[in-house]
Amino acid sequence: MADGKYHLYSYWRSSCSWRVRIALAMKGIEYEYHAINLLKAEQKSDDYSTHNPSKQIPTLVLPDGTNLCQSLAILEYLDEVFPDREPLLPRGNGPEDAVKRARVRHISEIVNSFIQPLQNPRIPKLVYPDSPDKALQFAADFIREGFQSIEKVLANTAGRFAVGDQVTIADLCLVPQVYNAHRHKVDMSEFPIILRVTDNASQLPAFQNSHPSKQPDATEH
């Protein structure tokens, strides 16, 4: 698909897809939206697997037809290629700047590598195939455990946003994850710093315009 345009394969309520939508909005990159309905297992189709052999979303197709997969890899690519458009990682060459970038990645990976895989419906349903309530609680427990770690990290890193006063990849991971926490009925009163920084980020146009309810394939508004 080398047509000189960006193409995003996304599902409206996918937190990983939402991260990429936020970044594209922040960077001012226009793209064509291709809805992949996870509930209908469209990600497993032969056609889609030509873009993403893991049969997951999101996939960002570059103007030259190159396929990029995995949300954090896409975010870092966008930040490298468009460094002057709303940086997603703290800039600077000093040791303290490297520490800030490490903090951003630390927070992001708690969401991406610990919480998100275990809250994904596939895993709770495998553990509790006959009890939707227990499956929901299973996911909620891991969200809460991950947030407990993040809240402690944010106590030392947060400013207006997760790491200082600049929006970073950490915020792009946290806002969708808080949305999922509400869906899983997690009591967020335990996490005041998470709530504060994500409320701040959620006021920004890039976050609002990329919200699941505003996507073409949304079934809830």
Side-chain angles (χ1 to χ4, degrees):
M1 189 184 294
D3 60 1
K5 301 177 181 178
Y6 287 90
H7 296 262
L8 178 65
Y9 289 82
S10 172
Y11 177 61
W12 68 285
R13 208 157 59 182
S14 158
S15 57
C16 298
S17 298
W18 189 357
R19 300 169 194 167
V20 175
R21 295 197 302 264
I22 298 169
L24 290 167
M26 289 179 65
K27 298 290 187 180
I29 300 170
E30 295 185 357
Y31 60 92
E32 287 192 14
Y33 186 100
H34 301 267
I36 299 294
N37 192 324
L38 299 184
L39 300 183
K40 295 180 179 179
E42 290 178 355
Q43 77 276 16
K44 297 181 180 180
S45 71
D46 291 338
D47 181 61
Y48 180 66
S49 68
T50 63
H51 297 292
N52 190 322
S54 298
K55 300 182 180 181
Q56 298 174 330
I57 57 169
T59 297
L60 181 67
V61 183
L62 306 185
D64 66 358
T66 299
N67 295 295
L68 296 183
C69 308
Q70 294 296 332
S71 62
L72 293 191
I74 295 171
L75 298 185
E76 296 229 18
Y77 167 84
L78 292 172
D79 207 38
E80 290 182 20
V81 175
F82 302 100
D84 299 325
R85 302 186 192 178
E86 297 279 358
L88 300 178
L89 286 168
R91 298 295 191 245
N93 298 319
E96 69 279 4
D97 303 306
V99 168
K100 287 180 181 178
R101 289 190 289 273
R103 298 296 187 222
V104 170
R105 293 183 173 109
H106 177 191
I107 296 164
S108 302
E109 286 295 354
I110 294 174
V111 174
N112 188 61
S113 299
F114 178 74
I115 299 176
Q116 199 277 333
L118 292 168
Q119 74 163 23
N120 189 301
R122 178 183 177 187
I123 301 303
K125 287 179 180 178
L126 284 173
V127 177
Y128 294 107
D130 301 319
S131 178
D133 289 341
K134 288 183 178 180
L136 184 72
Q137 188 60 51
F138 175 91
D141 288 344
F142 281 103
I143 295 172
R144 185 177 298 106
E145 184 176 342
F147 275 2
Q148 287 169 345
S149 298
I150 292 173
E151 186 77 6
K152 293 176 181 177
V153 176
L154 294 183
N156 296 309
T157 66
R160 184 181 176 200
F161 303 111
V163 179
D165 296 323
Q166 171 195 338
V167 172
T168 66
I169 290 172
D171 301 287
L172 275 61
C173 290
L174 277 174
V175 168
Q177 189 54 61
V178 169
Y179 173 88
N180 279 332
H182 288 306
R183 289 183 56 228
H184 287 83
K185 306 185 189 316
V186 174
D187 181 3
M188 291 299 297
S189 64
E190 184 181 347
F191 311 110
I193 307 177
I194 292 176
L195 283 178
R196 176 175 60 79
V197 298
T198 56
D199 283 347
N200 288 338
S202 295
Q203 303 307 310
L204 301 174
F207 286 78
Q208 294 180 349
N209 295 335
S210 59
H211 192 276
S213 65
K214 296 187 177 180
Q215 303 315 301
D217 54 331
T219 57
E220 297 176 12
H221 298 277

